[in-house]
Amino acid sequence: MLDAKLTIALSKGRILEDTLPLLERVGIRPSEDPDASRKLVVGTNRPGVELVIVRATDVPTYVEFGAADVGVAGRDVLLEQGADLYEPLDLGIGKCRMVVAEPEGMAAGDDPSRWDRVRIATKYPNITRDFFARQGVQTQIVKLYGSMELAPLVGLADRIVDLVSSGRTLEENGLVEVETLFGISSRLVVNKAALKLKHPLVSDLIDSLAGVLEDKA
Ligand code: PRP
């Protein structure tokens, strides 16, 4: 092992909340609460193991470039960015789904296979473009960074492609799901060089997390 340091990239919010109990089960505890603190590098009880706190969409970048050895990222972010990462484990957390939604009553019996030239607001232009291209539907994509559900209400787009978890945001904004693209959960991602150079530190973490997930199953 060339380097005994292990850096784990996490993002604040649901991923951090759901990942910390998993890390705790493999014996890694942050030395202070990363959610309460403004620190971006947080030590742990394990010498040489530290957490870096980054934006959810930046996790693949930190790991791909080796600034972090491992990280936790949603399948949505991974598919959108297509970073070159090893993805050994589905952590089964942060479950939701990627859907197409539209205003309720927009088209009774709407048939997605008959759509043509639709304007779609989304934070996921690559996923959206690929999905509609495979169906032979031409799209105009309006890239947004949040609050996608507003776009059809104010005439910015016909439909949206976005994440749905409880369905409450769609419902409270008068939108309905018309098609599911795929299910989502958060994955452990690993820098490909770290897997070799930091063996067995990285492989031990993967194996221990896999054991915890098996126990939970
Ligand atoms: C996500 C997503 C939806 C909402 C869905 O937004 O974009 O807006 O959660 O959750 P629900 O089905 O349980 O209502 P998030 O809170 O991550 O914020 P964002 O607008 O920045 O994407």
Side-chain angles (χ1 to χ4, degrees), residues 14 123 145-149 162-169:
R14 275 173 267 192
K123 202 158 51 168
Y145 294 86
S147 302
M148 265 66 67
E149 293 83 359
D162 196 17
L163 304 182
V164 171
S165 176
S166 65
R168 194 169 158 203
T169 311

Side-chain angles (χ1 to χ4, degrees), residues 7 11-12 15 26 37 65-66 72 85 94 110 113 136 140 145 148 173:
T7 302
S11 55
K12 280 197 177 181
I15 284 188
V26 301
S37 158
F65 283 84
V72 176
L85 300 167
D110 196 10
S113 67
Q140 183 185 4
Y145 294 86
M148 265 66 67
N173 291 289

Side-chain angles (χ1 to χ4, degrees), residues 4-204:
K5 214 175 122 197
L6 184 76
T7 302
I8 305 172
L10 298 174
S11 55
K12 280 197 177 181
R14 275 173 267 192
I15 284 188
L16 189 64
E17 262 168 47
D18 292 349
T19 304
L20 289 182
L22 292 177
L23 289 179
E24 164 101 44
R25 304 250 329 250
V26 301
I28 299 173
R29 282 181 300 282
S31 42
E32 59 192 294
D33 178 2
D35 231 355
S37 158
R38 295 274 172 118
K39 277 196 186 163
L40 300 175
V41 181
V42 178
T44 70
N45 61 315
R46 293 256 299 267
V49 177
E50 65 184 17
L51 311 180
V52 290
I53 309 301
V54 305
R55 284 286 294 266
T57 46
D58 290 335
V59 168
T61 308
Y62 275 80
V63 178
E64 185 176 20
F65 283 84
D69 303 301
V70 305
V72 176
R75 188 175 177 222
D76 53 326
V77 169
L78 295 169
L79 287 175
E80 178 65 21
Q81 297 187 6
D84 186 21
L85 300 167
Y86 178 50
E87 203 184 299
L89 284 181
D90 180 349
L91 298 175
I93 57 178
K95 285 191 177 168
C96 55
R97 56 195 186 277
M98 184 76 72
V99 308
V100 183
E102 67 183 25
E104 198 173 2
M106 178 174 165
D110 196 10
D111 178 358
S113 67
R114 299 182 66 177
W115 289 348
D116 188 30
R117 192 82 203 143
V118 288
R119 194 157 55 164
I120 312 270
T122 187
K123 202 158 51 168
Y124 303 95
N126 294 326
I127 289 170
T128 302
R129 200 174 295 111
D130 287 356
F131 174 74
F132 284 103
R134 268 187 271 116
Q135 305 198 359
V137 176
Q138 279 200 16
T139 48
Q140 183 185 4
I141 293 171
V142 180
K143 160 93 190 197
L144 294 177
Y145 294 86
S147 302
M148 265 66 67
E149 293 83 359
L150 177 63
L153 308 184
V154 295
L156 179 60
D158 307 310
R159 297 180 180 85
I160 63 169
V161 168
D162 196 17
L163 304 182
V164 171
S165 176
S166 65
R168 194 169 158 203
T169 311
L170 287 185
E171 194 185 335
E172 292 196 5
N173 291 289
L175 303 177
V176 290
E177 282 179 53
V178 275
E179 193 156 15
T180 301
L181 277 65
F182 47 80
I184 291 168
S185 55
S186 295
R187 315 290 163 113
L188 185 75
V189 290
V190 178
N191 174 276
K192 288 186 168 171
L195 189 63
K196 292 182 195 137
L197 297 174
K198 297 196 176 182
H199 186 84
L201 203 54
V202 170
S203 48
D204 282 353

